[in-house]
Amino acid sequence: VARSSAADGDGGAAADEEQRAALLSLLQGTHALWSSPLTRAVQTAQLALLPLLEAAGVVEVKANARQRRGLTNPNMSIGTVSGDAMRHRCVEKFRELAASEQGLCDEASLEQIEASELDTVEAEARWWSDKTESERDFQARVAELVSQIRYSPHESLVLVTHDDVFHELLGRHTHTSAHVRQGPLLKQMTSGSVPS
């Protein structure tokens, strides 16, 4: 789990890059890259994990990995595009950010992202809802995501999703051995206090 240290000054950017390099080193050899269909998640998979994208060859969009639409965040998980329009929206937003933020993304990386494949089979049609998602429906959706992971043909994968999905995954779908070895960390992560 990583957080941005941009507000920390020049040292923050160096620390961010160090943290990113350590994470990428840990994830080398990943066979698949999955993402929530929300633009910011797809962009994280495409840019922050670009070396993994190069190896995996495609970002697979998983509708079940989307952020929960709840009473406290009614506008957070509203989709605006589906299917191939998702790839175009991500590229368009990258270009806007690159023009406004110096050093966000170089032209070579943008070209790699534009050329990369985005598998939107699970998001060809409207994948979002205008209604608040009940706790029961949210739990069922995350359980289905766990089944997708479990029965995936990939030996390993990286999932780019949102904190509410991670809290549910870690809170209800973690193997007993992880609770024995990493109990305090899991408790901290499921309480909403995620270390950086």
Side-chain angles (χ1 to χ4, degrees):
V1 176
R3 74 173 169 85
S4 174
S5 303
D8 298 340
D10 292 339
D16 283 350
E17 189 54 37
E18 221 174 270
Q19 192 177 38
R20 180 178 174 269
L23 179 64
L24 288 173
S25 175
L26 177 70
L27 299 175
Q28 288 303 318
T30 297
H31 295 94
L33 186 52
W34 289 9
S35 175
S36 156
L38 291 169
T39 300
R40 64 185 182 274
V42 174
Q43 288 178 311
T44 298
Q46 290 175 316
L47 183 60
L49 301 175
L50 187 58
L52 299 181
L53 174 57
E54 292 170 352
V58 62
V59 174
E60 297 178 44
V61 174
K62 300 296 178 184
N64 285 329
R66 70 187 179 277
Q67 186 174 25
R68 180 180 183 189
R69 182 179 170 121
L71 294 173
T72 59
N73 66 347
N75 298 317
M76 294 301 289
S77 59
I78 297 175
T80 57
V81 294
S82 56
D84 197 45
M86 294 175 76
R87 189 177 77 74
H88 297 296
R89 177 176 168 78
C90 288
V91 169
E92 173 189 317
K93 293 296 180 184
F94 269 132
R95 292 226 173 260
E96 287 175 15
L97 286 171
S100 66
E101 308 252 347
Q102 291 293 337
L104 172 71
C105 185
D106 61 24
E107 191 60 35
S109 295
L110 278 173
E111 288 174 8
Q112 283 181 284
I113 291 166
E114 285 180 339
S116 68
E117 185 180 347
L118 188 62
D119 179 348
T120 59
V121 168
E122 291 189 23
E124 287 299 321
R126 182 181 166 127
W127 49 266
W128 62 93
S129 173
D130 293 329
K131 297 184 173 137
T132 299
E133 189 173 23
S134 72
E135 185 68 23
R136 182 178 171 189
D137 290 344
F138 176 66
Q139 289 174 1
R141 176 167 56 83
V142 175
E144 177 62 27
L145 177 62
V146 169
S147 291
Q148 288 178 286
I149 293 168
R150 182 174 289 137
Y151 297 109
S152 164
H154 308 295
E155 189 175 314
S156 62
L157 63 88
V158 170
L159 174 64
V160 179
T161 189
H162 310 278
D163 64 344
D164 55 353
V165 176
F166 277 120
H167 288 173
E168 181 68 15
L169 285 169
L170 295 172
R172 295 185 193 274
H173 302 281
T174 306
H175 193 273
T176 307
S177 64
H179 287 281
V180 171
R181 290 192 311 255
Q182 297 293 332
L185 177 61
L186 285 172
K187 185 174 182 175
Q188 184 180 15
M189 292 180 79
T190 56
S191 72
S193 174
V194 180
S196 57

